[in-house]
Amino acid sequence: MNFQNKIVLITGASSGIGAATAVYFAGLGADLVLAARNEANLTKVGQECEKVGKRKPLLVVTDVTKEEDNERLISRTIEHFKKLDVLVNNAGRGCAGSIENTSLEQFDDMMSVNVRSTYNLTMLAVPHLIKTKGNVVNLSSIAGIRSFSNFLAYSMAKAAIDQFTRCAALDLAPKQVRVNAVNPGFIVSNFHREVGMDEETYKAYMERSKGTHALGRVGEGHEVAAAIAFLAADTASFITGVSLPVDGGKHAMCPR
């Protein structure tokens, strides 16, 4: 895969899958726009990308739940690079909880950061992607495909991302703009700590998760990044509307 002369915008790029994806694209020659709320971490990722790709990324501190931030992000991208080829909607977060204990505030937060932000940014990017016949890759989750207890609002948000992906793909296909998604399983990152797991609980959960993935292990960020790059590349030019599990076969296994 070669992303020379391609402009790739990645949200949530300061950590986890977003950071791994940024470094991966840098290695493939892309010019990057990296967006996240955490300026210090974003700067570190930008430096790593510059080291790998020999190109200086455009860093834009962005809260994707704010419309004015998203408008500024797209505007700065076009002002700086004059075009946009790939939008990776990676920004998001999780929330544990069931129908008995998930508040409406938590539900609204899941929909805002995971769904509304993706809708808003894609809408703003579309006029520019039409010009380049570019594409969008959305970050969903195995929780968008399979049902799990105690992750209700998060799972609903990711299911919405999968439906958004399919509908947007149909809307934009006549204009040769592709829209796809990846659905990671357990990926080593801070995700589960951020939803409230302490270190001991996290390690135990990660160990148990090896048995719920057909390949007998959990995944790494670079493995999701590789799938994102594949879907974004010209070699995937006949693929649109796909939600691709990157989950070691978890989607195919019986629940445990």
Side-chain angles (χ1 to χ4, degrees):
M1 292 180 288
N2 188 335
F3 283 86
Q4 294 285 341
N5 301 315
K6 299 285 189 181
I7 311 304
V8 179
L9 192 167
I10 304 168
T11 65
S14 63
S15 63
I17 291 172
T21 301
V23 174
Y24 197 93
F25 271 102
L28 296 174
D31 284 298
L32 297 172
V33 183
L34 306 181
R37 292 180 302 165
N38 189 316
E39 184 172 9
N41 285 351
L42 188 63
T43 299
K44 290 178 184 177
V45 174
Q47 291 169 344
E48 180 64 19
C49 289
E50 187 173 359
K51 188 185 303 181
V52 169
K54 312 305 179 187
R55 286 175 163 79
K56 189 176 181 65
L58 173 64
L59 308 181
V60 185
V61 177
T62 306
D63 181 344
V64 294
T65 66
K66 297 179 179 178
E67 292 178 47
E68 60 272 21
D69 277 23
N70 292 334
E71 290 168 358
R72 179 170 51 83
L73 173 59
I74 297 298
S75 293
R76 288 202 58 193
T77 298
I78 301 306
E79 287 169 5
H80 190 84
F81 287 116
K82 310 304 180 188
K83 68 168 185 166
L84 176 63
D85 295 286
V86 179
L87 170 63
V88 180
N89 283 310
N90 169 75
R93 57 174 169 262
C95 171
S98 71
I99 189 61
E100 295 181 287
N101 55 32
T102 302
S103 68
L104 282 176
E105 182 180 11
Q106 290 171 310
F107 175 85
D108 288 343
D109 179 64
M110 286 297 95
M111 291 299 168
S112 177
V113 72
N114 292 301
V115 183
R116 192 176 189 274
S117 64
T118 295
Y119 191 108
N120 184 209
L121 260 175
T122 304
M123 179 179 64
L124 293 169
V126 158
H128 307 288
L129 294 172
I130 290 172
K131 292 177 182 177
T132 59
K133 292 183 170 58
N135 69 86
V136 180
V137 183
N138 298 316
L139 262 292
S140 184
S141 168
I142 186 62
I145 299 172
R146 294 278 300 275
S147 301
F148 302 96
S149 61
N150 205 45
F151 276 95
L152 177 59
Y154 175 74
S155 298
M156 289 176 68
K158 291 305 185 180
I161 289 296
D162 286 339
Q163 186 68 293
F164 171 77
T165 297
R166 291 187 289 270
C167 290
L170 293 178
D171 287 342
L172 296 172
K175 297 176 180 177
Q176 302 303 303
V177 173
R178 299 182 299 109
V179 185
N180 292 294
V182 294
N183 298 64
F186 189 115
I187 304 299
V188 177
S189 69
N190 284 325
F191 174 86
H192 292 90
R193 297 182 183 91
E194 290 169 354
V195 300
M197 288 187 182
D198 59 34
E199 195 61 30
E200 184 177 346
T201 304
Y202 172 74
K203 288 180 179 178
Y205 183 72
M206 180 166 62
E207 194 61 32
R208 287 198 306 274
S209 292
K210 293 177 182 179
T212 64
H213 294 65
L215 290 179
R217 64 176 179 87
V218 297
E220 300 285 345
H222 68 87
E223 294 176 301
V224 183
I228 292 169
F230 162 70
L231 289 173
D234 291 341
T235 46
S237 58
F238 204 49
I239 300 175
T240 196
V242 164
S243 292
L244 176 64
V246 188
D247 65 347
K250 182 173 183 175
H251 70 282
M253 293 183 69
C254 293
R256 292 189 186 181

